[in-house]
Amino acid sequence: MYAIIQTGGKQYKVQTGDVLFLEKLDAQADEAITFGEVLAIGKDDGMVFGSPLVAGASVAGKVLKQGKGKKLTVFTYKPKKNQKRKLGHRQPYTKVEIGEITG
């Protein structure tokens, strides 16, 4: 059984036991979290699609940790104007383990 959930403006196909790196969520480590925006559920006997969400469906998970990704260097410049800027960026993420799919 699998489900397609929506979080952080993105859609993910998840199964029980999957570990995902999601956009930062407001939850602490070792905290239970529930995803209510389930778009579709795949079962042995077929698919269940929502319009736009599947009624009564949810996906439970556990937050493993909060973290930051690798550092990216952002360099912008304008040629012949002696104008340049160098920035660094580290995208925050939440590492989540998918538990139970109900629906």
Side-chain angles (χ1 to χ4, degrees), residues 68-82:
K68 289 184 180 181
K70 288 191 166 195
K71 189 166 191 172
L72 299 176
T73 302
V74 182
F75 186 77
T76 60
Y77 75 100
K78 296 191 178 178
K80 302 176 190 165
K81 303 295 180 199
N82 196 22

Side-chain angles (χ1 to χ4, degrees), residues 20-75:
L20 301 173
F21 292 90
L22 305 175
E23 294 290 321
K24 186 175 180 184
L25 300 173
D26 188 24
Q28 300 298 321
D30 295 328
E31 187 175 326
I33 191 165
T34 304
F35 300 101
E37 294 187 357
V38 179
L39 303 174
I41 295 179
K43 299 180 181 179
D44 295 334
D45 57 347
M47 293 283 297
V48 176
F49 295 101
S51 58
L53 303 176
V54 177
S58 65
V59 175
K62 178 183 172 187
V63 175
L64 298 178
K65 75 172 193 173
Q66 300 279 358
K68 289 184 180 181
K70 288 191 166 195
K71 189 166 191 172
L72 299 176
T73 302
V74 182
F75 186 77

